[in-house]
Amino acid sequence: MTSTSTPPSTPHSFQVDLRGLVDLLSHHLYSSPRVYVRELLQNAVDAITARHALDPAAEVRIRLSASAGRVTIEDSGIGLTAAEAHSLLATIGRSSKRGGDGSDLDEPGLEATRQEFLGQFGIGLLACFVVARQIRVVTRSARDPQAAPVEWLATDDGSYTVRELPHEARPEPGTTVVLEARPGATEWAAPAKVEELARDYGSLLPYDITFDDGEGGEPRPVTDRPAVWDRAFPTPAARRVALAGHCAQLFGFTPLDSIDLDLPVAGVRGVAYVLPEPTSPAHRAGHRVHLKGMLLTDRADNLLPDWAFFVRAVLDTDTLRPTASRENLYDDETLAAVRDALGVRVRGWLAELAASDPERLAAFLQVHHLGVKSMARHDSELLGLMLPWLPFETSDGSMSLQEFAAAHTDIHFTRTVEEFRQIAPIAAAHGLGVINAGYTYDADLLALLPAVRPELKVTELDAGAVTERLDPVPTATELALAPFLATARTRLEAQGCDVVLRAFQPVSVPALYLDDRQARQERDRTAALESADSLWSGILGSLRGSAPRARLVLNHNNPLIRRIAALPDEALTGTAVESLYGQALLMSQRPLRPADSTLLNRAFLGLLEWATHSTDARDAQEDQK
C-alpha cells in the first residue's frame, strides 16, 4: 500500500476592517469614548517606564494639551524606530511590552519591569479612533540613538503611512501623539473635557503629568500624589478631615467615618468611606479602582462583600486583573481572596469602634444597623460583639437584644410588623417579651441568638402563648356567659375562628385577633379544599392538620363586651360579634379573604338595620303618646 502526503497549506493573514473595529471598540468593548484619554496616558506612562528600565537617569516629561479639536500628548519615553512603528502600531494585538518572541522585553533588565506596565492587551492607539479621524505619531527611539525620527500617520479609513523625518524634527527621544477629532466627537476634544478626563484617570499615576489648554497660561498639574490615604498628617484628626474632604470631592458626600484598606501582600492600598445615610442592601455599590495608579473603573461592584453596602471604596492595586476593556475587575480567585480580606478590614473597624468608641459606633448603627445585622448572620463572633448595640423593636420599646434578654429569658417574636403592632401593647401589659422580627434580617438573627446566649429560649409567637398570659375570668362568670360564647362561636365557625374570653389590659381594646403560621396554613388549606376538584379534595383532605385555629379573644374588662354579652336578642348578639371580629381583623392589618369581606359587609348592614329599626320603634312609641 502506498501512502499519499497532504500538500502543505499556505498561511494567510487576517484582514481587519478598521471601521468595523472602531465600531466594535466604541459600541461593545468600551462603555464610553472617554477612554481614549486613558489610552493616551497609558501609552505615555508605559513609554516612560520602558525608558527608565533602559536609563534610570532619563528625564520624565508627559505633557497633555487640547485646543481647536486637536488633542496632543508628548512624552520623553522609549520611542520607536521605523520598523517598530510598522510592527507595533499597525498590528492588532501586538505590544512593545510583550517580550518572549524577539520583542523589546527580551533585552537584559527589561523583563523585570514587565509587571510595571499598565497595558495588557496591545490594542493601543487604535482605541483612539473612537474619537479621532486622524492620528499622527512622531517618535524617536532611545534604544537606537542613530535612528532617525519616524512619523506614523493613520486615518479612520484603515490606511497609514510611515516615513522617516530629519533629525531636527525631534532631537530628543520620546513620542508625540496628535489626534484630530472627527465630526460628531469634538466635545471629547474640548480642553475642559480633556483636562477633566485626564485628572479623573491619571491623578494617581507615578509620573508628573501636566495639562495645557492652549490659552498661554502655565501648564497645570494633572497628577496629585501621593494618594490622600498615603499622606502624612500631624494628627489623626487632621487625617480624618483630609479624608472627609477627599470623599466629598470624589463621591459627593461627607462620610460618617473612613476605614483603611491596606493589604500589602495583595498589593492593595486605599480607603472605604462610610455612607452618612441609609442605603438599600440590594443596591450594588460603585467603587473606584486604580490599577497601578490609572483609574480602572468607578463602578466596581464586585470589590467588597455584598453585606458591606454601607461603604464606598477607592483603592489602588497592582495585582488584580482587569477585564479586556480595562473598565472593571475580572472576578477570579485573586479578587475573591482580596474581597474576603477587605471584608475582614471592615469587620475589624466595627470591632475597634465597639471596644474604644461606643459613641461613634452608636451613630453608625443608627444609620446602618441593617448592614451590621446582615454581617452578624454569618459571623457569630460579630453577633456576640454587636449584641449590646444592635437595635430591635420590642414590646418594651426600642432596645438591644442584650437589654431585652436581661428582662426576658423566654423571647417570642412575630414574623410581620402588623402582627407585632397589634400584640405589643397587650404583651407589654402582661409581661410577655415579644420582638418584632418583621424587618430585614431580624428573624435570622433571633434564630442564631441561642447559639450566642444558650440560656435564652426563642420561639415564634403563637395564639396559645398569648392567650395563656392573659387573665382568665372567674369560672362562675364564664359559666354565666356560656350562651353568649356559644352564639359567638357559632357565628365565627365559618371563618375558622374560635372565641375565648379573657380579662386583659389595656381596657380600651375590646377584642384581639390572634393566629399563627400553622393556623394560617390550615385556613389556606381549607380555602383550597373548597375550590378543588374531587381528586385534589381527597389529597388536601388527607393533609388536614391538628393545629389550633385562629382566635378572637374578647376582653371582659371592656365595658362594650359586657354590654354585648348581656343583649337579649341572639341575632343582634351574633351581628355584634361579627362586627368585633371584623374590627379586630382590620386592626391586625392582615389581608382580608372574600369570606371576611362578606362578613364585614353583613355585620355593617345588620347594625344599620338594627339602628334604624330601633329609631322607628321609638318614633312609633312617641306617636302613641
Side-chain angles (χ1 to χ4, degrees):
M1 178 180 293
T2 60
S3 61
T4 59
S5 60
T6 303
S9 58
T10 303
H12 298 278
S13 297
F14 286 105
Q15 299 298 311
V16 177
D17 176 14
L18 185 57
R19 289 185 184 275
L21 177 64
V22 170
D23 179 74
L24 177 67
L25 293 175
S26 59
H27 293 95
H28 301 283
L29 183 61
Y30 297 131
S31 62
S32 167
R34 70 197 304 269
V35 297
Y36 88 92
V37 173
R38 182 194 66 193
E39 297 295 338
L40 291 175
L41 293 174
Q42 175 180 293
N43 286 338
V45 169
D46 286 345
I48 295 289
T49 301
R51 176 79 181 274
H52 269 205
L54 185 69
D55 179 9
E59 68 167 328
V60 173
R61 184 182 70 256
I62 301 177
R63 181 169 178 171
L64 182 66
S65 61
S67 64
R70 174 181 295 176
V71 178
T72 303
I73 187 167
E74 180 183 2
D75 67 69
S76 58
I78 194 68
L80 298 172
T81 64
E84 289 170 342
H86 272 293
S87 175
L88 301 175
L89 294 180
T91 305
I92 305 300
R94 288 292 303 278
S95 168
S96 62
K97 306 174 285 292
R98 296 177 71 87
D101 57 352
S103 66
D104 302 322
L105 285 185
D106 289 335
E107 296 186 20
L110 293 184
E111 182 65 31
T113 68
R114 186 181 207 173
Q115 62 180 359
E116 302 299 325
F117 290 116
L118 298 170
Q120 297 291 326
F121 300 95
I123 294 175
L125 283 177
L126 290 179
C128 295
F129 276 116
V130 298
V131 298
R133 67 176 182 83
Q134 177 181 283
I135 301 175
R136 181 173 182 259
V137 178
V138 176
T139 181
R140 183 166 187 171
S141 176
R143 295 194 187 99
D144 185 0
Q146 304 305 316
V150 177
E151 178 195 68
W152 181 87
L153 183 64
T155 59
D156 60 1
D157 63 2
S159 63
Y160 74 94
T161 60
V162 177
R163 66 187 180 102
E164 291 188 349
L165 300 176
H167 283 269
E168 58 270 18
R170 185 173 184 93
E172 300 295 330
T175 301
T176 301
V177 180
V178 181
L179 306 184
E180 298 284 350
R182 57 183 171 81
T186 53
E187 61 177 297
W188 296 105
K193 173 62 72 173
V194 174
E195 184 176 13
E196 173 192 346
L197 294 177
R199 293 181 186 278
D200 198 34
Y201 279 116
S203 62
L204 299 184
L205 286 173
Y207 308 119
D208 290 338
I209 301 172
T210 59
F211 177 79
D212 185 355
D213 59 11
E215 295 184 358
E218 286 293 320
R220 296 183 288 271
V222 168
T223 47
D224 184 22
R225 301 184 322 275
V228 63
W229 55 82
D230 282 331
R231 295 175 189 171
F233 294 95
T235 64
R239 185 174 190 270
R240 281 199 298 269
V241 169
L243 288 173
H246 177 252
C247 177
Q249 181 181 13
L250 204 61
F251 294 114
F253 65 84
T254 300
L256 282 177
D257 207 347
S258 57
I259 308 168
D260 283 320
L261 303 178
D262 184 11
L263 302 174
V265 175
V268 171
R269 189 87 173 93
V271 63
Y273 295 115
V274 181
L275 291 165
E277 297 179 352
T279 185
S280 168
H283 177 68
R284 301 289 287 180
H287 307 292
R288 288 178 66 92
V289 179
H290 295 257
L291 179 62
K292 301 182 180 73
M294 181 74 76
L295 178 67
L296 184 72
T297 179
D298 57 3
R299 297 188 298 274
D301 58 5
N302 55 357
L303 180 65
L304 292 176
D306 290 341
W307 51 256
F309 56 82
F310 50 84
V311 299
R312 295 292 180 271
V314 53
L315 56 81
D316 189 22
T317 175
D318 57 12
T319 59
L320 298 179
R321 179 182 169 193
T323 59
S325 64
R326 297 195 294 282
E327 293 187 285
N328 212 334
L329 293 171
Y330 190 80
D331 212 336
D332 55 10
E333 293 181 358
T334 302
L335 178 58
V338 168
R339 183 164 50 237
D340 290 343
L342 293 177
V344 170
R345 286 285 187 272
V346 177
R347 281 200 299 269
W349 168 78
L350 283 172
E352 183 180 348
L353 284 188
S356 62
D357 201 340
E359 290 186 1
R360 284 171 65 200
L361 178 63
F364 165 76
L365 287 177
Q366 186 175 5
V367 179
H368 293 298
H369 59 275
L370 275 181
V372 178
K373 287 181 177 181
S374 175
M375 285 191 291
R377 292 181 306 154
H378 309 292
D379 191 331
S380 59
E381 182 180 349
L382 182 65
L383 176 59
L385 178 69
M386 291 291 109
L387 271 179
W389 310 102
L390 289 177
F392 285 82
E393 186 178 6
T394 78
S395 53
D396 294 347
S398 179
M399 61 181 59
S400 71
L401 281 179
Q402 180 162 297
E403 293 173 313
F404 190 71
H408 304 278
T409 55
D410 287 344
I411 296 177
H412 301 273
F413 66 91
T414 63
R415 289 190 177 273
T416 66
V417 175
E418 294 77 18
E419 187 178 4
F420 172 81
R421 289 177 179 170
Q422 184 196 21
I423 199 64
I426 296 168
H430 292 269
L432 184 65
V434 182
I435 293 178
N436 181 5
Y439 295 118
T440 306
Y441 308 133
D442 284 3
D444 294 336
L445 291 179
L446 289 173
L448 295 172
L449 186 56
V452 180
R453 299 283 299 275
E455 72 277 11
L456 299 178
K457 181 182 178 182
V458 179
T459 57
E460 183 174 355
L461 184 70
D462 58 40
V466 177
T467 307
E468 289 171 4
R469 286 298 187 102
L470 304 180
D471 296 333
V473 298
T475 303
T477 302
E478 189 163 7
L479 287 175
L481 295 177
F484 162 68
L485 292 175
T487 298
R489 288 165 181 152
T490 300
R491 278 300 185 103
L492 297 183
E493 176 67 28
Q495 310 306 123
C497 182
D498 197 8
V499 178
V500 296
L501 186 66
R502 292 289 187 273
F504 57 86
Q505 300 295 329
V507 175
S508 59
V509 178
L512 177 65
Y513 180 81
L514 298 174
D515 69 350
D516 50 33
R517 185 189 300 180
Q518 291 178 313
R520 289 191 290 270
Q521 290 174 345
E522 180 64 16
R523 190 165 58 246
D524 293 341
R525 186 202 62 79
T526 302
L529 179 63
E530 293 173 353
S531 60
D533 56 27
S534 57
L535 173 61
W536 282 108
S537 294
I539 296 174
L540 292 171
S542 67
L543 297 176
R544 181 184 300 275
S546 59
R549 300 187 300 171
R551 297 182 185 184
L552 182 68
V553 184
L554 301 178
N555 186 3
H556 190 254
N557 289 340
N558 184 273
L560 177 62
I561 295 297
R562 295 182 179 182
R563 289 196 295 270
I564 292 174
L567 289 173
D569 187 339
E570 183 176 335
L572 179 58
T573 299
T575 300
V577 169
E578 289 181 339
S579 299
L580 288 171
Y581 170 83
Q583 186 265 350
L585 196 61
L586 290 173
M587 290 297 294
S588 71
Q589 300 186 32
R590 290 176 173 84
L592 296 180
R593 298 171 296 165
D596 295 329
S597 299
T598 301
L599 178 142
L600 280 171
N601 289 332
R602 182 173 66 244
F604 177 70
L605 293 175
L607 290 176
L608 283 179
E609 184 178 350
W610 177 83
T612 55
H613 177 74
S614 299
T615 302
D616 291 342
R618 286 194 297 270
D619 290 344
Q621 292 176 357
E622 291 293 331
D623 291 341
Q624 290 176 0
K625 293 179 181 179

